[in-house]
Amino acid sequence: MKRKIYLSALAALSATAIGSAYAAKAMENDALAIEAAKIGLTQAVTAAEQHVGGKASRAEFEKHKGQWVFDVEVVNGKKVMDVKVDPANGKVIAATEDKADRDDDHDQAD
């Protein structure tokens, strides 16, 4: 009888472990992609600020057109610039003026 309980418990634990491993693989955290970057967020912000001559208001590591980039929003006077920085070498890939804040829910506070 004890052996049946032991085997049942072992089977349940095995199923749980396999299910957890599968779920962890299926729900990978995108933030872990930063491990492949050769530069850090601070360096990307500095490169973006120097490129457009302003101050960063936000920065994130994200996938853009199938490629991982640092996306830095830089304010220069009344202009807001979206600056993409290559995580491999720290060079600015693109800098475009952000005419409207697309991260919001279009409320009047923006």
Side-chain angles (χ1 to χ4, degrees):
M1 179 69 175
K2 286 183 181 181
R3 184 178 171 116
K4 283 185 181 181
I5 293 172
Y6 174 72
L7 290 175
S8 295
L10 183 61
L13 287 173
S14 296
T16 302
I18 291 169
S20 296
Y22 176 76
K25 187 174 183 181
M27 296 178 61
E28 272 187 35
N29 188 335
D30 286 348
L32 297 176
I34 193 75
E35 288 294 319
K38 303 288 186 218
I39 67 165
L41 186 62
T42 304
Q43 291 168 292
V45 167
T46 299
E49 287 177 336
Q50 289 175 351
H51 186 78
V52 296
K55 293 181 183 179
S57 65
R58 72 163 184 83
E60 62 186 333
F61 190 65
E62 67 179 13
K63 206 167 216 179
H64 177 73
K65 295 182 181 180
Q67 173 183 340
W68 286 100
V69 297
F70 286 104
D71 182 18
V72 185
E73 190 172 82
V74 180
V75 178
N76 183 350
K78 299 234 182 239
K79 283 187 180 180
V80 177
M81 302 292 291
D82 282 328
V83 183
K84 305 280 190 260
V85 180
D86 189 327
N89 57 26
K91 292 184 180 177
V92 172
I93 299 169
T96 57
E97 187 173 357
D98 186 2
K99 301 270 184 200
D101 189 356
R102 287 176 252 112
D103 275 344
D104 65 9
D105 54 359
H106 303 290
D107 58 1
Q108 289 184 356
D110 292 328

